[in-house]
Amino acid sequence: MLRLAFVTGTEPGKWFARYRDTTDHGLEEIPSDDPFASLIDGSADLALLRLPDPRVGAPGERFHQVQLYAEKPGVAVPKDSVYAEVGEAVRLSDLAGEHVNYRFEAARAGSGAAGVGADGDSSTETGNRDGADDNTAALPASGGSIDELRAALQVVAANVGIAFAPAPLLKVLSKKQVVVLELLDSEVEDRAGGAEEGSATEGSATRIGLVWEVEKDSVAIQDFVGVAKGRTRNSSRGAETQKAGRGRTEANRKVKGKNSGQRKGFGSKHPKKGVRKTRR
């Protein structure tokens, strides 16, 4: 049985269905705000999470990682705001002067209220921001905690400020009073290009990937990695099955050819075309 923890804001249902359809390993699905913590405490064999995550470390040292796809950056705005009324993607310059309740940064995963480090220790990070009002005073300016993002979105729903995070994550967490807009990344790339390596800005790109411990690698894990990377039923089955299928096809062709000759009048009971049957 493969135990897979997947992060909030992802929809791996099609992979789960294909995995069950093409393998006999079995699958236990574990939704989680912090799938990495499930790897550390041993409750999961494989984690689908956001990268970069500093707890994972260099690929191949303690954990394997396979990146699958990129998430679009997004921003959550109040439903009654002018941005929501227009309903179009925005740039950072469009949001200048807006109060930012929270910036979600995958690169700071494990530093939030419910973070768990690679050694299994919990860590917390709090702090007040200069100029923050009473509603946001308890929230750090940024971090990698989904719980903190939930709290920030409640403030946005109260028509106060905005919040940055991956668009798929915002859409899952946002309530009716919050509208999620795509954040155009042209300016983000310009800003990030001058930033130090590993730093994050509003709208920093995140990627979804699979992570598992090197020492616990298995056939079941590798099979799921193959499914997530696009392997289909035809490509995932063994060569023996394909060979057997080809053998059956060739045999069917021979039988079909033999029968077709009889159907066309070349059997012993059917005279050839153009030959008149003589009466006795």
Side-chain angles (χ1 to χ4, degrees), residues 11-175:
E11 297 180 351
K14 62 179 181 180
W15 293 337
F16 295 162
R18 191 177 303 158
Y19 184 76
R20 291 189 173 99
D21 187 41
T22 58
T23 73
D24 298 323
H25 301 302
L27 180 65
E28 179 183 350
E29 307 168 16
I30 308 173
S32 174
D33 283 352
D34 187 6
F36 187 83
S38 299
L39 282 182
I40 298 303
D41 64 22
S43 60
D45 308 306
L46 182 63
L48 183 69
L49 46 73
R50 286 185 177 84
L51 298 171
D53 188 322
R55 300 171 295 177
V56 175
E61 288 188 355
R62 181 179 175 186
F63 299 96
H64 288 305
Q65 60 174 286
V66 174
Q67 297 190 18
L68 299 174
Y69 63 89
E71 290 184 305
K72 291 183 178 181
V75 58
V77 300
K79 182 179 179 181
D80 296 332
S81 66
V82 63
Y83 311 107
E85 291 179 3
V86 175
E88 297 179 353
V90 295
R91 299 181 181 276
L92 292 176
S93 58
D94 298 330
L95 303 170
E98 293 292 340
H99 177 73
V100 179
N101 295 325
Y102 196 73
R103 298 180 180 90
F104 181 87
E105 300 172 3
R108 296 183 61 188
S111 65
V116 176
D119 56 0
D121 295 335
S122 298
S123 60
T124 59
E125 178 180 326
T126 59
N128 296 338
R129 290 164 289 169
D130 295 337
D133 56 30
D134 293 340
N135 292 328
T136 60
L139 287 173
S142 62
S145 169
I146 292 181
D147 275 340
E148 291 172 351
L149 178 59
R150 283 192 181 95
L153 290 174
Q154 291 179 357
V155 180
V156 176
N159 206 27
V160 178
I162 60 177
F164 293 101
L169 178 59
L170 289 174
K171 290 178 181 178
V172 169
L173 300 181
S174 296
K175 305 300 182 182

Side-chain angles (χ1 to χ4, degrees), residues 50 70-76 89-92 95 104 163-171 180-189 201-207:
R50 286 185 177 84
E71 290 184 305
K72 291 183 178 181
V75 58
V90 295
R91 299 181 181 276
L92 292 176
L95 303 170
F104 181 87
F164 293 101
L169 178 59
L170 289 174
K171 290 178 181 178
V180 178
L181 301 176
E182 181 182 349
L183 185 64
L184 298 179
D185 58 0
S186 58
E187 296 180 26
V188 176
E189 292 174 355
T201 63
E202 298 93 335
S204 295
T206 54
R207 299 190 67 85

